[in-house]
PDB file of all heavy atoms in Angstrom:
ATOM      1  N   ASN C 590      60.862 127.474 -26.924  1.00 98.00           N
ATOM      2  CA  ASN C 590      59.684 128.266 -26.609  1.00 98.00           C
ATOM      3  C   ASN C 590      59.175 127.873 -25.264  1.00 98.00           C
ATOM      4  O   ASN C 590      58.580 126.726 -25.119  1.00 98.00           O
ATOM      5  CB  ASN C 590      58.594 128.124 -27.681  1.00 98.00           C
ATOM      6  CG  ASN C 590      57.332 128.904 -27.434  1.00 98.00           C
ATOM      7  OD1 ASN C 590      57.167 129.485 -26.377  1.00 98.00           O
ATOM      8  ND2 ASN C 590      56.448 128.890 -28.476  1.00 98.00           N
ATOM      9  N   THR C 591      59.381 128.659 -24.260  1.00 98.00           N
ATOM     10  CA  THR C 591      58.795 128.381 -22.924  1.00 98.00           C
ATOM     11  C   THR C 591      57.417 129.052 -22.671  1.00 98.00           C
ATOM     12  O   THR C 591      57.128 129.160 -21.539  1.00 98.00           O
ATOM     13  CB  THR C 591      59.902 128.834 -21.825  1.00 98.00           C
ATOM     14  OG1 THR C 591      60.190 130.223 -22.026  1.00 98.00           O
ATOM     15  CG2 THR C 591      61.155 127.966 -21.896  1.00 98.00           C
ATOM     16  N   THR C 592      56.806 129.393 -23.628  1.00 98.00           N
ATOM     17  CA  THR C 592      55.365 129.883 -23.663  1.00 98.00           C
ATOM     18  C   THR C 592      55.332 131.165 -22.811  1.00 98.00           C
ATOM     19  O   THR C 592      55.772 132.146 -23.149  1.00 98.00           O
ATOM     20  CB  THR C 592      54.452 128.793 -23.206  1.00 98.00           C
ATOM     21  OG1 THR C 592      54.645 127.654 -24.074  1.00 98.00           O
ATOM     22  CG2 THR C 592      53.005 129.210 -23.406  1.00 98.00           C
ATOM     23  N   ALA C 593      54.704 131.153 -21.650  1.00 98.00           N
ATOM     24  CA  ALA C 593      54.528 132.370 -20.876  1.00 98.00           C
ATOM     25  C   ALA C 593      55.766 132.833 -20.170  1.00 98.00           C
ATOM     26  O   ALA C 593      55.863 133.974 -19.724  1.00 98.00           O
ATOM     27  CB  ALA C 593      53.512 132.210 -19.731  1.00 98.00           C
ATOM     28  N   ALA C 594      56.829 132.108 -20.280  1.00 99.00           N
ATOM     29  CA  ALA C 594      58.137 132.407 -19.533  1.00 99.00           C
ATOM     30  C   ALA C 594      59.047 133.119 -20.488  1.00 99.00           C
ATOM     31  O   ALA C 594      60.133 133.668 -20.001  1.00 99.00           O
ATOM     32  CB  ALA C 594      58.796 131.273 -18.970  1.00 99.00           C
ATOM     33  N   THR C 595      58.815 133.171 -21.815  1.00 98.00           N
ATOM     34  CA  THR C 595      59.985 133.600 -22.685  1.00 98.00           C
ATOM     35  C   THR C 595      60.304 135.097 -22.413  1.00 98.00           C
ATOM     36  O   THR C 595      61.444 135.419 -22.393  1.00 98.00           O
ATOM     37  CB  THR C 595      59.494 133.512 -24.168  1.00 98.00           C
ATOM     38  OG1 THR C 595      58.409 134.344 -24.468  1.00 98.00           O
ATOM     39  CG2 THR C 595      59.238 132.015 -24.589  1.00 98.00           C
ATOM     40  N   ILE C 596      59.370 135.997 -22.335  1.00 99.00           N
ATOM     41  CA  ILE C 596      59.698 137.375 -22.187  1.00 99.00           C
ATOM     42  C   ILE C 596      60.411 137.710 -20.865  1.00 99.00           C
ATOM     43  O   ILE C 596      61.391 138.397 -20.864  1.00 99.00           O
ATOM     44  CB  ILE C 596      58.424 138.352 -22.458  1.00 99.00           C
ATOM     45  CG1 ILE C 596      58.153 138.264 -23.917  1.00 99.00           C
ATOM     46  CG2 ILE C 596      58.722 139.738 -21.989  1.00 99.00           C
ATOM     47  CD1 ILE C 596      56.844 138.976 -24.343  1.00 99.00           C
ATOM     48  N   PRO C 597      59.873 137.230 -19.760  1.00 99.00           N
ATOM     49  CA  PRO C 597      60.632 137.496 -18.500  1.00 99.00           C
ATOM     50  C   PRO C 597      62.013 136.831 -18.398  1.00 99.00           C
ATOM     51  O   PRO C 597      62.944 137.372 -17.796  1.00 99.00           O
ATOM     52  CB  PRO C 597      59.687 136.973 -17.386  1.00 99.00           C
ATOM     53  CG  PRO C 597      58.785 136.062 -18.064  1.00 99.00           C
ATOM     54  CD  PRO C 597      58.629 136.577 -19.435  1.00 99.00           C
ATOM     55  N   LEU C 598      62.100 135.764 -19.129  1.00 99.00           N
ATOM     56  CA  LEU C 598      63.504 135.073 -19.250  1.00 99.00           C
ATOM     57  C   LEU C 598      64.427 135.978 -20.002  1.00 99.00           C
ATOM     58  O   LEU C 598      65.644 136.115 -19.720  1.00 99.00           O
ATOM     59  CB  LEU C 598      63.430 133.755 -19.834  1.00 99.00           C
ATOM     60  CG  LEU C 598      62.887 132.597 -18.899  1.00 99.00           C
ATOM     61  CD1 LEU C 598      62.737 131.272 -19.615  1.00 99.00           C
ATOM     62  CD2 LEU C 598      63.848 132.410 -17.725  1.00 99.00           C
ATOM     63  N   CYS C 599      63.883 136.699 -21.053  1.00 98.00           N
ATOM     64  CA  CYS C 599      64.748 137.587 -21.799  1.00 98.00           C
ATOM     65  C   CYS C 599      65.163 138.695 -20.884  1.00 98.00           C
ATOM     66  O   CYS C 599      66.314 139.188 -20.811  1.00 98.00           O
ATOM     67  CB  CYS C 599      63.983 138.217 -23.033  1.00 98.00           C
ATOM     68  SG  CYS C 599      63.932 137.046 -24.474  1.00 98.00           S
ATOM     69  N   LEU C 600      64.213 139.331 -20.209  1.00 98.00           N
ATOM     70  CA  LEU C 600      64.497 140.392 -19.258  1.00 98.00           C
ATOM     71  C   LEU C 600      65.555 140.056 -18.267  1.00 98.00           C
ATOM     72  O   LEU C 600      66.378 140.788 -17.918  1.00 98.00           O
ATOM     73  CB  LEU C 600      63.209 140.856 -18.585  1.00 98.00           C
ATOM     74  CG  LEU C 600      62.154 141.629 -19.531  1.00 98.00           C
ATOM     75  CD1 LEU C 600      60.892 141.934 -18.689  1.00 98.00           C
ATOM     76  CD2 LEU C 600      62.741 142.865 -20.163  1.00 98.00           C
ATOM     77  N   TYR C 601      65.436 138.821 -17.776  1.00 98.00           N
ATOM     78  CA  TYR C 601      66.453 138.395 -16.835  1.00 98.00           C
ATOM     79  C   TYR C 601      67.828 138.237 -17.385  1.00 98.00           C
ATOM     80  O   TYR C 601      68.838 138.686 -16.897  1.00 98.00           O
ATOM     81  CB  TYR C 601      66.044 136.942 -16.199  1.00 98.00           C
ATOM     82  CG  TYR C 601      67.062 136.429 -15.216  1.00 98.00           C
ATOM     83  CD1 TYR C 601      66.863 136.803 -13.797  1.00 98.00           C
ATOM     84  CD2 TYR C 601      68.113 135.647 -15.556  1.00 98.00           C
ATOM     85  CE1 TYR C 601      67.801 136.439 -12.897  1.00 98.00           C
ATOM     86  CE2 TYR C 601      69.043 135.188 -14.638  1.00 98.00           C
ATOM     87  CZ  TYR C 601      68.884 135.527 -13.268  1.00 98.00           C
ATOM     88  OH  TYR C 601      69.798 135.139 -12.398  1.00 98.00           O
ATOM     89  N   ASP C 602      67.843 137.575 -18.594  1.00 98.00           N
ATOM     90  CA  ASP C 602      69.180 137.381 -19.272  1.00 98.00           C
ATOM     91  C   ASP C 602      69.845 138.717 -19.726  1.00 98.00           C
ATOM     92  O   ASP C 602      71.079 138.799 -19.691  1.00 98.00           O
ATOM     93  CB  ASP C 602      68.985 136.503 -20.458  1.00 98.00           C
ATOM     94  CG  ASP C 602      68.719 135.056 -20.135  1.00 98.00           C
ATOM     95  OD1 ASP C 602      68.937 134.690 -18.948  1.00 98.00           O
ATOM     96  OD2 ASP C 602      68.531 134.270 -21.052  1.00 98.00           O
ATOM     97  N   TRP C 603      69.049 139.768 -19.916  1.00 98.00           N
ATOM     98  CA  TRP C 603      69.602 140.951 -20.457  1.00 98.00           C
ATOM     99  C   TRP C 603      69.628 142.086 -19.447  1.00 98.00           C
ATOM    100  O   TRP C 603      70.051 143.152 -19.757  1.00 98.00           O
ATOM    101  CB  TRP C 603      68.860 141.455 -21.681  1.00 98.00           C
ATOM    102  CG  TRP C 603      69.419 141.002 -22.973  1.00 98.00           C
ATOM    103  CD1 TRP C 603      70.204 141.773 -23.774  1.00 98.00           C
ATOM    104  CD2 TRP C 603      69.228 139.779 -23.649  1.00 98.00           C
ATOM    105  NE1 TRP C 603      70.626 141.085 -24.886  1.00 98.00           N
ATOM    106  CE2 TRP C 603      69.961 139.814 -24.840  1.00 98.00           C
ATOM    107  CE3 TRP C 603      68.435 138.693 -23.338  1.00 98.00           C
ATOM    108  CZ2 TRP C 603      69.988 138.693 -25.728  1.00 98.00           C
ATOM    109  CZ3 TRP C 603      68.477 137.632 -24.199  1.00 98.00           C
ATOM    110  CH2 TRP C 603      69.217 137.707 -25.396  1.00 98.00           C
ATOM    111  N   GLN C 604      69.247 141.853 -18.194  1.00 97.00           N
ATOM    112  CA  GLN C 604      69.113 142.972 -17.223  1.00 97.00           C
ATOM    113  C   GLN C 604      70.412 143.695 -17.042  1.00 97.00           C
ATOM    114  O   GLN C 604      70.405 144.874 -16.766  1.00 97.00           O
ATOM    115  CB  GLN C 604      68.637 142.422 -15.829  1.00 97.00           C
ATOM    116  CG  GLN C 604      69.406 141.417 -15.181  1.00 97.00           C
ATOM    117  CD  GLN C 604      68.737 140.849 -13.928  1.00 97.00           C
ATOM    118  OE1 GLN C 604      68.234 141.640 -13.150  1.00 97.00           O
ATOM    119  NE2 GLN C 604      68.788 139.503 -13.714  1.00 97.00           N
ATOM    120  N   GLU C 605      71.574 142.995 -17.084  1.00 97.00           N
ATOM    121  CA  GLU C 605      72.821 143.778 -16.890  1.00 97.00           C
ATOM    122  C   GLU C 605      73.108 144.690 -18.146  1.00 97.00           C
ATOM    123  O   GLU C 605      73.948 145.591 -17.914  1.00 97.00           O
ATOM    124  CB  GLU C 605      73.943 142.773 -16.749  1.00 97.00           C
ATOM    125  CG  GLU C 605      73.804 141.887 -15.458  1.00 97.00           C
ATOM    126  CD  GLU C 605      73.722 142.687 -14.233  1.00 97.00           C
ATOM    127  OE1 GLU C 605      74.443 143.762 -14.106  1.00 97.00           O
ATOM    128  OE2 GLU C 605      72.987 142.342 -13.307  1.00 97.00           O
ATOM    129  N   GLN C 606      72.503 144.431 -19.234  1.00 98.00           N
ATOM    130  CA  GLN C 606      72.751 145.362 -20.357  1.00 98.00           C
ATOM    131  C   GLN C 606      71.730 146.486 -20.525  1.00 98.00           C
ATOM    132  O   GLN C 606      71.864 147.316 -21.436  1.00 98.00           O
ATOM    133  CB  GLN C 606      72.698 144.511 -21.669  1.00 98.00           C
ATOM    134  CG  GLN C 606      73.784 143.403 -21.628  1.00 98.00           C
ATOM    135  CD  GLN C 606      73.705 142.567 -22.920  1.00 98.00           C
ATOM    136  OE1 GLN C 606      73.724 143.138 -24.041  1.00 98.00           O
ATOM    137  NE2 GLN C 606      73.667 141.206 -22.828  1.00 98.00           N
ATOM    138  N   LEU C 607      70.681 146.472 -19.713  1.00 98.00           N
ATOM    139  CA  LEU C 607      69.647 147.399 -19.693  1.00 98.00           C
ATOM    140  C   LEU C 607      70.010 148.688 -18.990  1.00 98.00           C
ATOM    141  O   LEU C 607      70.476 148.521 -17.793  1.00 98.00           O
ATOM    142  CB  LEU C 607      68.300 146.875 -19.235  1.00 98.00           C
ATOM    143  CG  LEU C 607      67.699 145.758 -19.984  1.00 98.00           C
ATOM    144  CD1 LEU C 607      66.449 145.207 -19.251  1.00 98.00           C
ATOM    145  CD2 LEU C 607      67.345 146.135 -21.412  1.00 98.00           C
ATOM    146  N   ASP C 608      69.894 149.768 -19.618  1.00 98.00           N
ATOM    147  CA  ASP C 608      70.248 151.122 -18.939  1.00 98.00           C
ATOM    148  C   ASP C 608      68.891 151.776 -18.564  1.00 98.00           C
ATOM    149  O   ASP C 608      67.915 151.679 -19.149  1.00 98.00           O
ATOM    150  CB  ASP C 608      70.951 152.005 -19.943  1.00 98.00           C
ATOM    151  CG  ASP C 608      72.310 151.471 -20.314  1.00 98.00           C
ATOM    152  OD1 ASP C 608      72.948 150.914 -19.413  1.00 98.00           O
ATOM    153  OD2 ASP C 608      72.805 151.629 -21.483  1.00 98.00           O
ATOM    154  N   TYR C 609      69.051 152.507 -17.448  1.00 98.00           N
ATOM    155  CA  TYR C 609      67.953 153.296 -16.901  1.00 98.00           C
ATOM    156  C   TYR C 609      67.378 154.247 -17.989  1.00 98.00           C
ATOM    157  O   TYR C 609      68.115 154.870 -18.695  1.00 98.00           O
ATOM    158  CB  TYR C 609      68.446 154.127 -15.637  1.00 98.00           C
ATOM    159  CG  TYR C 609      67.306 154.927 -15.159  1.00 98.00           C
ATOM    160  CD1 TYR C 609      66.464 154.543 -14.235  1.00 98.00           C
ATOM    161  CD2 TYR C 609      67.343 156.283 -15.399  1.00 98.00           C
ATOM    162  CE1 TYR C 609      65.452 155.360 -13.710  1.00 98.00           C
ATOM    163  CE2 TYR C 609      66.393 157.235 -14.846  1.00 98.00           C
ATOM    164  CZ  TYR C 609      65.478 156.580 -14.004  1.00 98.00           C
ATOM    165  OH  TYR C 609      64.473 157.494 -13.518  1.00 98.00           O
ATOM    166  N   GLY C 610      66.133 154.175 -18.262  1.00 98.00           N
ATOM    167  CA  GLY C 610      65.427 154.968 -19.186  1.00 98.00           C
ATOM    168  C   GLY C 610      65.316 154.384 -20.589  1.00 98.00           C
ATOM    169  O   GLY C 610      64.784 155.031 -21.493  1.00 98.00           O
ATOM    170  N   ASP C 611      65.928 153.204 -20.834  1.00 98.00           N
ATOM    171  CA  ASP C 611      65.860 152.531 -22.102  1.00 98.00           C
ATOM    172  C   ASP C 611      64.417 152.374 -22.520  1.00 98.00           C
ATOM    173  O   ASP C 611      63.507 151.973 -21.638  1.00 98.00           O
ATOM    174  CB  ASP C 611      66.487 151.174 -22.035  1.00 98.00           C
ATOM    175  CG  ASP C 611      68.020 151.271 -22.351  1.00 98.00           C
ATOM    176  OD1 ASP C 611      68.527 152.339 -22.649  1.00 98.00           O
ATOM    177  OD2 ASP C 611      68.754 150.247 -22.196  1.00 98.00           O
ATOM    178  N   ASN C 612      64.111 152.550 -23.828  1.00 98.00           N
ATOM    179  CA  ASN C 612      62.811 152.179 -24.368  1.00 98.00           C
ATOM    180  C   ASN C 612      62.714 150.796 -24.814  1.00 98.00           C
ATOM    181  O   ASN C 612      63.508 150.364 -25.670  1.00 98.00           O
ATOM    182  CB  ASN C 612      62.454 153.090 -25.473  1.00 98.00           C
ATOM    183  CG  ASN C 612      62.212 154.619 -25.078  1.00 98.00           C
ATOM    184  OD1 ASN C 612      61.664 154.883 -24.105  1.00 98.00           O
ATOM    185  ND2 ASN C 612      62.760 155.482 -25.926  1.00 98.00           N
ATOM    186  N   LEU C 613      61.802 149.970 -24.284  1.00 99.00           N
ATOM    187  CA  LEU C 613      61.642 148.634 -24.555  1.00 99.00           C
ATOM    188  C   LEU C 613      60.255 148.333 -25.210  1.00 99.00           C
ATOM    189  O   LEU C 613      59.272 148.946 -24.702  1.00 99.00           O
ATOM    190  CB  LEU C 613      61.805 147.694 -23.393  1.00 99.00           C
ATOM    191  CG  LEU C 613      63.169 147.268 -22.973  1.00 99.00           C
ATOM    192  CD1 LEU C 613      64.043 148.407 -22.551  1.00 99.00           C
ATOM    193  CD2 LEU C 613      63.027 146.326 -21.669  1.00 99.00           C
ATOM    194  N   ILE C 614      60.266 147.611 -26.291  1.00 98.00           N
ATOM    195  CA  ILE C 614      58.968 147.152 -26.803  1.00 98.00           C
ATOM    196  C   ILE C 614      58.881 145.605 -26.564  1.00 98.00           C
ATOM    197  O   ILE C 614      59.798 144.849 -27.080  1.00 98.00           O
ATOM    198  CB  ILE C 614      58.925 147.385 -28.383  1.00 98.00           C
ATOM    199  CG1 ILE C 614      58.926 148.935 -28.627  1.00 98.00           C
ATOM    200  CG2 ILE C 614      57.555 146.814 -28.862  1.00 98.00           C
ATOM    201  CD1 ILE C 614      57.828 149.656 -28.118  1.00 98.00           C
ATOM    202  N   LEU C 615      57.925 145.218 -25.781  1.00 98.00           N
ATOM    203  CA  LEU C 615      57.612 143.833 -25.553  1.00 98.00           C
ATOM    204  C   LEU C 615      56.522 143.299 -26.415  1.00 98.00           C
ATOM    205  O   LEU C 615      55.392 143.994 -26.510  1.00 98.00           O
ATOM    206  CB  LEU C 615      57.224 143.524 -24.093  1.00 98.00           C
ATOM    207  CG  LEU C 615      58.307 143.603 -22.987  1.00 98.00           C
ATOM    208  CD1 LEU C 615      59.060 144.945 -23.020  1.00 98.00           C
ATOM    209  CD2 LEU C 615      57.642 143.444 -21.618  1.00 98.00           C
ATOM    210  N   ALA C 616      56.725 142.181 -27.199  1.00 98.00           N
ATOM    211  CA  ALA C 616      55.682 141.684 -28.170  1.00 98.00           C
ATOM    212  C   ALA C 616      55.572 140.210 -28.070  1.00 98.00           C
ATOM    213  O   ALA C 616      56.529 139.507 -27.879  1.00 98.00           O
ATOM    214  CB  ALA C 616      56.046 142.203 -29.455  1.00 98.00           C
ATOM    215  N   ALA C 617      54.272 139.756 -28.159  1.00 98.00           N
ATOM    216  CA  ALA C 617      54.052 138.363 -28.205  1.00 98.00           C
ATOM    217  C   ALA C 617      52.859 137.987 -29.084  1.00 98.00           C
ATOM    218  O   ALA C 617      51.993 138.788 -29.331  1.00 98.00           O
ATOM    219  CB  ALA C 617      53.788 137.857 -26.748  1.00 98.00           C
ATOM    220  N   PHE C 618      52.834 136.672 -29.345  1.00 98.00           N
ATOM    221  CA  PHE C 618      51.628 136.132 -30.091  1.00 98.00           C
ATOM    222  C   PHE C 618      51.498 134.676 -29.524  1.00 98.00           C
ATOM    223  O   PHE C 618      52.435 134.028 -29.388  1.00 98.00           O
ATOM    224  CB  PHE C 618      51.909 136.039 -31.578  1.00 98.00           C
ATOM    225  CG  PHE C 618      50.708 135.544 -32.350  1.00 98.00           C
ATOM    226  CD1 PHE C 618      49.876 136.443 -32.961  1.00 98.00           C
ATOM    227  CD2 PHE C 618      50.519 134.211 -32.496  1.00 98.00           C
ATOM    228  CE1 PHE C 618      48.752 136.020 -33.612  1.00 98.00           C
ATOM    229  CE2 PHE C 618      49.388 133.670 -33.190  1.00 98.00           C
ATOM    230  CZ  PHE C 618      48.525 134.616 -33.759  1.00 98.00           C
ATOM    231  N   GLY C 619      50.233 134.300 -29.293  1.00 97.00           N
ATOM    232  CA  GLY C 619      50.006 133.008 -28.811  1.00 97.00           C
ATOM    233  C   GLY C 619      48.565 132.429 -29.218  1.00 97.00           C
ATOM    234  O   GLY C 619      47.827 133.111 -29.910  1.00 97.00           O
ATOM    235  N   GLY C 620      48.385 131.208 -28.840  1.00 97.00           N
ATOM    236  CA  GLY C 620      47.102 130.512 -29.143  1.00 97.00           C
ATOM    237  C   GLY C 620      45.974 131.308 -28.572  1.00 97.00           C
ATOM    238  O   GLY C 620      46.018 131.982 -27.619  1.00 97.00           O
ATOM    239  N   GLY C 621      44.883 131.089 -29.418  1.00 96.00           N
ATOM    240  CA  GLY C 621      43.738 131.928 -28.958  1.00 96.00           C
ATOM    241  C   GLY C 621      42.809 132.329 -30.117  1.00 96.00           C
ATOM    242  O   GLY C 621      41.682 132.174 -30.077  1.00 96.00           O
ATOM    243  N   PHE C 622      43.329 133.123 -31.175  1.00 97.00           N
ATOM    244  CA  PHE C 622      44.670 133.687 -31.155  1.00 97.00           C
ATOM    245  C   PHE C 622      44.747 134.989 -30.222  1.00 97.00           C
ATOM    246  O   PHE C 622      43.880 135.746 -30.204  1.00 97.00           O
ATOM    247  CB  PHE C 622      45.004 134.107 -32.580  1.00 97.00           C
ATOM    248  CG  PHE C 622      45.328 132.952 -33.425  1.00 97.00           C
ATOM    249  CD1 PHE C 622      44.500 132.740 -34.675  1.00 97.00           C
ATOM    250  CD2 PHE C 622      46.310 132.012 -33.207  1.00 97.00           C
ATOM    251  CE1 PHE C 622      44.838 131.740 -35.486  1.00 97.00           C
ATOM    252  CE2 PHE C 622      46.586 131.010 -34.075  1.00 97.00           C
ATOM    253  CZ  PHE C 622      45.787 130.785 -35.150  1.00 97.00           C
ATOM    254  N   THR C 623      45.857 135.125 -29.617  1.00 98.00           N
ATOM    255  CA  THR C 623      46.064 136.333 -28.724  1.00 98.00           C
ATOM    256  C   THR C 623      47.409 136.872 -29.130  1.00 98.00           C
ATOM    257  O   THR C 623      48.314 136.296 -29.527  1.00 98.00           O
ATOM    258  CB  THR C 623      46.208 135.986 -27.232  1.00 98.00           C
ATOM    259  OG1 THR C 623      47.300 135.005 -27.071  1.00 98.00           O
ATOM    260  CG2 THR C 623      44.915 135.178 -26.725  1.00 98.00           C
ATOM    261  N   TRP C 624      47.487 138.294 -29.101  1.00 98.00           N
ATOM    262  CA  TRP C 624      48.764 138.929 -29.296  1.00 98.00           C
ATOM    263  C   TRP C 624      48.747 140.397 -28.763  1.00 98.00           C
ATOM    264  O   TRP C 624      47.645 140.903 -28.429  1.00 98.00           O
ATOM    265  CB  TRP C 624      49.007 138.985 -30.794  1.00 98.00           C
ATOM    266  CG  TRP C 624      48.316 139.702 -31.750  1.00 98.00           C
ATOM    267  CD1 TRP C 624      48.542 141.031 -32.288  1.00 98.00           C
ATOM    268  CD2 TRP C 624      47.011 139.359 -32.359  1.00 98.00           C
ATOM    269  NE1 TRP C 624      47.616 141.444 -33.160  1.00 98.00           N
ATOM    270  CE2 TRP C 624      46.673 140.456 -33.230  1.00 98.00           C
ATOM    271  CE3 TRP C 624      46.216 138.252 -32.297  1.00 98.00           C
ATOM    272  CZ2 TRP C 624      45.430 140.453 -34.041  1.00 98.00           C
ATOM    273  CZ3 TRP C 624      45.082 138.246 -33.039  1.00 98.00           C
ATOM    274  CH2 TRP C 624      44.687 139.317 -33.801  1.00 98.00           C
ATOM    275  N   GLY C 625      49.895 140.994 -28.657  1.00 98.00           N
ATOM    276  CA  GLY C 625      49.915 142.274 -28.068  1.00 98.00           C
ATOM    277  C   GLY C 625      51.326 142.801 -27.863  1.00 98.00           C
ATOM    278  O   GLY C 625      52.325 142.091 -28.248  1.00 98.00           O
ATOM    279  N   ALA C 626      51.426 144.056 -27.522  1.00 98.00           N
ATOM    280  CA  ALA C 626      52.717 144.641 -27.226  1.00 98.00           C
ATOM    281  C   ALA C 626      52.633 145.672 -26.158  1.00 98.00           C
ATOM    282  O   ALA C 626      51.563 146.259 -25.915  1.00 98.00           O
ATOM    283  CB  ALA C 626      53.201 145.401 -28.523  1.00 98.00           C
ATOM    284  N   ILE C 627      53.760 145.945 -25.451  1.00 98.00           N
ATOM    285  CA  ILE C 627      53.811 146.824 -24.332  1.00 98.00           C
ATOM    286  C   ILE C 627      55.034 147.764 -24.573  1.00 98.00           C
ATOM    287  O   ILE C 627      56.184 147.175 -25.000  1.00 98.00           O
ATOM    288  CB  ILE C 627      53.913 146.114 -22.960  1.00 98.00           C
ATOM    289  CG1 ILE C 627      52.623 145.426 -22.581  1.00 98.00           C
ATOM    290  CG2 ILE C 627      54.388 147.047 -21.847  1.00 98.00           C
ATOM    291  CD1 ILE C 627      52.690 144.562 -21.377  1.00 98.00           C
TER     292      ILE C 627
END
């Protein structure tokens, strides 16, 4: 768990597999409590 870095690291690792127009759901939960999705 790299905290604020996990989601962009996923996007970096998978960028070659992402196709133009793909629908992505980004989701997170953290201390606070804070959570959300894009």
Side-chain angles (χ1 to χ4, degrees):
N590 181 352
T591 54
T592 306
T595 65
I596 287 177
L598 282 174
C599 280
L600 294 176
Y601 181 86
D602 283 354
W603 265 265
Q604 60 183 315
E605 298 301 323
Q606 299 180 52
L607 295 175
D608 293 325
Y609 176 80
D611 274 354
N612 291 320
L613 276 59
I614 300 292
L615 285 54
F618 183 95
F622 290 121
T623 61
W624 67 100
I627 290 176

